[in-house]
């Protein structure tokens, strides 16, 4: 590994717009394409501080800096276009979190990498609307928060209340939200407002290990830990009334519910199993990468296909999980307001996936190509009239849900044609962080965080284990 000074590293970086930087070939060895990352002033400083600290430590300790990870992805076989860091990019395992990359399905050497999807497969965000206003919820917000807390299990290793047998799990892995619909946990229209209609058809439960299934069986309908949350939100501002009305968002003060969760222990195990298999495949097929965390296999190989089928099963599990929590959320609201979920207009606005790999058609240099898109910590953002978005949003573009960080706003955006051209229809996923979880625990006292949120009028319930 070549060790360069911070000033030497900067020679490979070029600011190409007010919010975009280019990473030139040569920044790391064997780059097939250039890298690019998008950042405002605050994120730009974090990215460069990360690089500076890495230079001073000569590359030892912790994850590689995000810029290096973006560049290492640009060196992977079969990559096309650019390796892209989206506007909340930060260091992760293999790929940076917020890193998107496309691989040419027509190239026999093109790869799939679990590090480009992440351990929490199909971690994503779902937004529900209601016909309630802030004035309806404020008097009972403590009771409503407690009701949600009682209905939806949280925390590491939490167990769900949705009954599921081993046979049910097999069917859920294959059917996704179609299983939830059959079992009465979803409304028919829910899946219309979900990526892939809540089901990846290539899923094969046989490619999900018994250990993964054992971890997933008791966890359906659970939130988990980390940055996952169920949040009762209030519409603070409407910037585009036409798009908002299409989504059923009609006025300021309207109450919505955002659910952020994924595939729990099952998805983590699918990723772990695949990494072990792919390390062997790399030796057999002589695939060289700059970082061993980028373990991968040729897309067409047995290991590559097995992973994609298992990943699709984990993605289906995540949609069933979010759907189960949607069911429980509807029950909690109905109980609190002595009504029904239907009368409360608790429809799904949209459900987006963050950590996923999908086969998509895109135009590259004027030619239509079939690509495998890795989106890790990034969100699909397709423009108006795209055939893969619901009829309801054909005129607005796909809703893009950007989750806030505790105490900050969340946003609903819509996809654009420019995004298709620059980032293969991808953007950031929100709920990011400036500190690692370990640093946050060392530097922040949870009682101070709860106090600061309380001063902002935000009530937060957490599970504390002693």
């Amino acid at each position: 590994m070549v060790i360069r000074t911070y000033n030497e590293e900067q020679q490979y970086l070029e600011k190409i717009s007010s919010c975009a930087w280019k990473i030139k070939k040569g920044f790391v060895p064997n780059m097939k394409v250039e890298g690019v990352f998008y950042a405002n002033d605050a994120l730009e400083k974090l990215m460069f501080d990360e690089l500076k600290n890495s230079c001073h430590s000569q590359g030892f300790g912790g994850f590689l800096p995000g810029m290096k990870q973006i560049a290492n992805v640009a060196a992977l076989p079969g990559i096309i276009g650019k390796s892209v860091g989206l506007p909340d990019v930060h260091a992760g395992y293999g790929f940076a979190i917020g890193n998107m990359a496309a691989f040419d399905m027509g190239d026999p050497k093109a790869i799939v990498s679990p590090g480009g999807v992440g351990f929490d497969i199909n971690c994503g965000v779902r937004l529900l609307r209601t016909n309630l206003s802030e004035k309806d919820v404020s008097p009972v917000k403590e009771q409503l928060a407690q009701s949600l807390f009682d209905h939806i299990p949280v925390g590491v290793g939490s167990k769900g209340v949705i009954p599921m047998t081993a046979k049910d799990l097999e069917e859920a892995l294959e059917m996704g939200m179609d299983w939830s619909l059959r079992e009465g946990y979803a409304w028919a229209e829910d899946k219309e407002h979900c990526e892939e209609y809540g089901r990846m058809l290539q899923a094969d439960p046989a490619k999900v290990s018994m250990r993964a299934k054992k971890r997933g069986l008791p966890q359906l309908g659970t939130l988990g830990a980390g940055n996952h949350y169920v949040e009762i939100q209030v519409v603070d501002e409407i910037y585009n009334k036409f798009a908002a009305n299409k989504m059923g968002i009609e006025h300021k003060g309207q109450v919505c519910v955002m659910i952020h969760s994924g595939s729990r222990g099952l998805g983590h195990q699918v990723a772990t199993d695949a990494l072990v298999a792919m390390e062997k495949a790399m030796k057999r097929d002589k695939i060289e990468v700059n970082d061993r965390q980028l373990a991968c296999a040729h897309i067409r190989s047995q290991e590559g296909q097995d992973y994609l089928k298992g990943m699709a099963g984990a993605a289906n599990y995540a949609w069933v999980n979010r759907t189960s929590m949607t069911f429980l959320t509807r029950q909690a609201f109905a109980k609190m307001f002595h009504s029904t979920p239907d009368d409360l207009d608790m429809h799904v606005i949209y459900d987006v996936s963050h950590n996923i790999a999908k086969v998509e058609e895109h135009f590259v240099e004027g030619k239509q190509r079939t690509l495998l898109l890795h989106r890790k910590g990034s969100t699909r953002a397709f423009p108006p009239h795209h055939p893969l978005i619901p009829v309801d949003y054909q005129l607005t573009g796909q809703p893009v849900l950007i989750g806030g960080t505790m105490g900050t706003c969340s946003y609903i955006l819509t996809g654009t044609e420019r995004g298709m051209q620059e980032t293969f229809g991808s953007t950031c996923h929100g709920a990011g962080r400036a500190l690692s979880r370990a640093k946050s625990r060392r530097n922040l006292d949870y009682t101070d965080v709860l106090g600061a949120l309380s001063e902002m009028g935000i009530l937060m319930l957490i599970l504390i284990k002693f």
Side-chain angles (χ1 to χ4, degrees):
M1 183 174 69
V2 178
I3 302 296
R4 291 191 288 249
T5 66
Y6 178 60
N7 287 336
E8 289 171 337
E9 295 281 35
Q10 287 181 296
Q11 302 305 309
Y12 292 90
L13 305 170
E14 178 186 347
K15 194 163 190 176
I16 54 177
S17 78
S18 61
C19 60
W21 284 79
K22 178 167 69 176
I23 303 173
K24 301 175 187 177
K25 290 183 179 180
F27 188 59
V28 301
N30 306 316
M31 288 176 68
K32 276 71 171 177
V33 298
E34 293 178 332
V36 64
F37 66 93
Y38 296 86
N40 61 9
D41 291 342
L43 181 58
E44 182 181 302
K45 182 179 185 304
L46 288 171
M47 291 286 283
F48 277 90
D49 283 349
E50 204 175 49
L51 180 64
K52 185 186 293 184
N53 292 336
S54 177
C55 290
H56 290 164
S57 65
Q58 297 189 335
F60 291 101
F63 289 130
L64 289 171
M67 288 185 210
K68 288 287 185 181
Q69 292 188 318
I70 294 168
N72 282 337
V73 169
L76 290 173
I79 190 169
I80 198 164
K82 294 181 177 68
S83 174
V84 180
L86 294 156
D88 56 0
V89 62
H90 54 282
Y93 184 93
F95 279 54
I97 298 167
N99 197 174
M100 185 285 308
F103 295 83
D104 186 359
M105 294 286 288
D107 182 348
K109 294 187 176 180
I111 60 89
V112 57
S113 174
V117 171
F119 283 95
D120 191 3
I121 295 167
N122 193 9
C123 173
V125 167
R126 175 174 295 199
L127 186 66
L128 312 177
R129 70 180 189 232
T130 77
N131 56 17
L132 297 167
S133 296
E134 185 175 9
K135 61 181 175 58
D136 301 317
V137 170
S138 290
V140 294
K141 71 177 185 180
E142 288 86 0
Q143 298 97 307
L144 183 57
Q146 187 63 54
S147 181
L148 281 171
F149 198 72
D150 293 340
H151 277 75
I152 301 174
V154 302
V156 176
S158 53
K159 295 184 178 181
V161 296
I162 301 293
M164 174 170 269
T165 65
K167 182 175 181 289
D168 289 329
L169 179 60
E170 292 283 328
E171 293 174 347
L173 291 172
E174 181 179 353
M175 296 172 63
M177 282 181 66
D178 286 333
W179 181 88
S180 302
L181 189 59
R182 188 191 73 187
E183 298 297 315
Y185 297 119
W187 297 350
E189 53 268 40
D190 289 349
K191 57 179 290 190
E192 298 297 319
H193 286 180
C194 186
E195 277 190 44
E196 306 293 321
Y197 299 101
R199 179 180 185 179
M200 293 189 81
L201 296 174
Q202 67 268 45
D204 183 354
K207 304 303 181 184
V208 178
S209 70
M210 288 306 299
R211 186 172 183 185
K213 290 171 183 174
K214 185 177 180 181
R215 293 180 69 178
L217 184 60
Q219 292 186 327
L220 190 68
T222 64
L223 191 63
N227 63 349
H228 292 167
Y229 56 81
V230 175
E231 188 170 87
I232 302 169
Q233 303 177 335
V234 174
V235 176
D236 188 58
E237 189 61 73
I238 295 174
Y239 300 97
N240 184 322
K241 288 186 178 181
F242 174 76
N245 285 336
K246 286 288 185 183
M247 298 175 198
I249 295 176
E250 298 173 345
H251 59 87
K252 294 182 184 180
Q254 184 173 341
V255 171
C256 297
V257 182
M258 184 172 279
I259 300 171
H260 179 201
S261 190
S263 52
R264 306 291 280 111
L266 183 142
H268 196 286
Q269 192 63 49
V270 168
T272 301
D273 293 340
L275 287 169
V276 173
M278 288 187 180
E279 284 188 359
K280 296 175 183 176
M282 288 174 66
K283 292 178 182 176
R284 182 194 66 214
D285 296 335
K286 297 180 173 56
I287 302 173
E288 294 185 1
V289 297
N290 291 340
D291 179 2
R292 67 183 302 269
Q293 291 183 359
L294 292 171
C296 57
H298 293 141
I299 296 171
R300 298 181 186 178
S301 70
Q302 186 66 52
E303 293 83 2
Q305 288 299 303
D306 285 353
Y307 170 68
L308 288 171
K309 292 172 183 177
M311 181 215 71
N316 287 347
Y317 179 93
W319 279 312
V320 172
N321 192 34
R322 287 198 289 278
T323 298
S324 299
M325 285 186 280
T326 299
F327 171 80
L328 295 169
T329 298
R330 286 168 172 161
Q331 297 304 306
F333 268 73
K335 183 178 179 181
M336 178 58 60
F337 293 100
H338 308 289
S339 185
T340 67
D342 194 33
D343 287 341
L344 292 172
D345 194 37
M346 296 190 73
H347 287 274
V348 173
I349 291 176
Y350 206 63
D351 181 300
V352 296
S353 305
H354 294 159
N355 295 351
I356 205 160
K358 292 185 187 176
V359 177
E360 296 175 1
E361 299 290 325
H362 288 270
F363 283 93
V364 180
E365 297 176 350
K367 294 182 180 179
Q368 188 169 342
R369 307 280 282 273
T370 304
L371 307 177
L372 181 66
L373 268 289
H374 291 62
R375 293 190 180 96
K376 179 181 181 180
S378 62
T379 304
R380 194 186 75 176
F382 281 172
H385 312 300
H386 195 284
L388 293 183
I389 62 177
V391 172
D392 292 346
Y393 301 132
Q394 281 290 311
L395 298 179
T396 63
Q398 176 206 312
V400 179
L401 309 177
I402 309 295
T405 303
M406 291 185 299
T408 65
C409 292
S410 299
Y411 290 86
I412 310 175
L413 315 179
T414 53
T416 66
E417 191 58 47
R418 181 179 174 186
M420 286 295 285
Q421 295 168 6
E422 290 193 19
T423 64
F424 294 104
S426 309
T427 190
C428 62
H429 80 317
R433 58 179 184 262
L435 294 177
S436 70
R437 291 172 187 169
K439 283 185 179 177
S440 297
R441 284 192 290 267
R442 287 197 300 269
N443 296 336
L444 299 172
D445 185 282
Y446 77 91
T447 56
D448 293 337
V449 174
L450 292 177
L453 291 172
S454 179
E455 289 180 6
M456 298 167 65
I458 299 170
L459 174 68
M460 181 177 177
L461 297 185
I462 57 174
L463 179 68
I464 303 173
K465 292 185 178 181
F466 293 99

